Amino acid sequence: MAHENEFQQTFVMVKPDGLQRGLAGEIISRFERKGLQLKALKMIRIRRELAETHYGEHKGKPFYDGLIDFITSAPVIASIWEGENAVHIVRKLVGATRPDEAEPGSIRGDFAITTGFNIVHAADSEKTAKREINLFFKEDEIHDYPLTIKEWLYQD
Ligand code: DAT
Ligand code: MG
């Protein structure tokens, strides 16, 4: 795996369907229990312009218009999580894009049925994570505080 043992921040969003289905707490809880540190959290209604920037790589694909309509249709919960290899670890916890391929035990594997309603977003690389963090959060919304259980999560 690239970036082994690298401390990283990643961007995660509970999508409108995750929130509407009452799964926000469950989803956040999974990252907490893994040992990742919550650095930022907020509930927002994504404006169209932000949605189009965030999902810019998918512009022109058949599902693009529906994706933009969906992600702007109701509030989401945006968050930043930090830890060793956080980007890769969070993607594993989230599971494959298609819920019929997502492993049981992953969030999408456990709670989603269709790709269009796969309940959670996570950045797919360190570069994407940085970009998405900057898109969704101001610097003063990101919190630095000690992770008191750190010595039980990481060897020095
Ligand atoms: P991921 O969210 O796992 O990073 P992606 O970046 O390829 O996946 O696509 C972004 C979102 O777009 C995905 O979470 C759900 C939607 N999407 C992707 N492919 C789709 C498809 N074939 N049909 C409907 N929605 C799709
Ligand atoms: Mg993606």
Side-chain angles (χ1 to χ4, degrees):
M1 187 208 320
H3 307 303
E4 203 162 355
N5 303 327
E6 194 177 322
F7 239 70
Q8 300 172 336
Q9 291 185 355
T10 193
F11 176 74
V12 174
M13 179 165 71
V14 179
K15 295 183 182 181
D17 52 336
L19 190 58
Q20 296 294 328
R21 290 180 53 201
L23 292 169
E26 169 74 36
I27 292 167
I28 290 165
S29 177
R30 288 185 175 216
F31 302 120
E32 276 189 309
R33 285 182 295 170
K34 181 69 172 172
L36 295 162
Q37 185 183 26
L38 184 58
K39 301 284 291 181
L41 183 76
K42 65 179 173 186
M43 183 165 159
I44 54 164
R45 180 76 179 259
I46 299 184
R47 289 166 292 102
R48 231 180 151 78
E49 190 190 357
L50 175 59
E52 286 171 357
T53 307
H54 174 68
Y55 280 128
E57 64 171 310
H58 297 302
K59 197 171 168 67
K61 295 183 185 170
F63 60 85
Y64 176 77
D65 289 341
L67 178 62
I68 300 298
D69 286 346
F70 161 65
I71 209 73
T72 56
S73 66
V76 301
I77 296 179
S79 59
I80 302 172
W81 296 87
E82 185 178 282
E84 210 169 89
N85 303 322
V87 173
H88 177 73
I89 283 173
V90 163
R91 287 287 290 196
K92 294 281 277 188
L93 292 175
V94 164
T97 304
R98 292 176 51 147
D100 58 352
E101 286 172 359
E103 295 294 333
S106 68
I107 295 167
R108 288 167 172 170
D110 286 349
F111 300 117
I113 296 180
T114 62
T115 306
F117 294 104
N118 61 11
I119 70 172
V120 62
H121 166 85
D124 65 1
S125 71
E126 206 177 358
K127 195 173 159 214
T128 313
K130 288 197 173 107
R131 177 179 171 271
E132 293 176 355
I133 285 168
N134 287 331
L135 266 180
F136 281 83
F137 288 97
K138 300 193 200 94
E139 213 161 301
D140 66 1
E141 292 175 315
I142 305 171
H143 298 271
D144 276 325
Y145 62 101
L147 181 62
T148 52
I149 55 163
K150 202 169 183 174
E151 63 183 294
W152 299 103
L153 294 167
Y154 299 103
Q155 288 156 322
D156 18 58

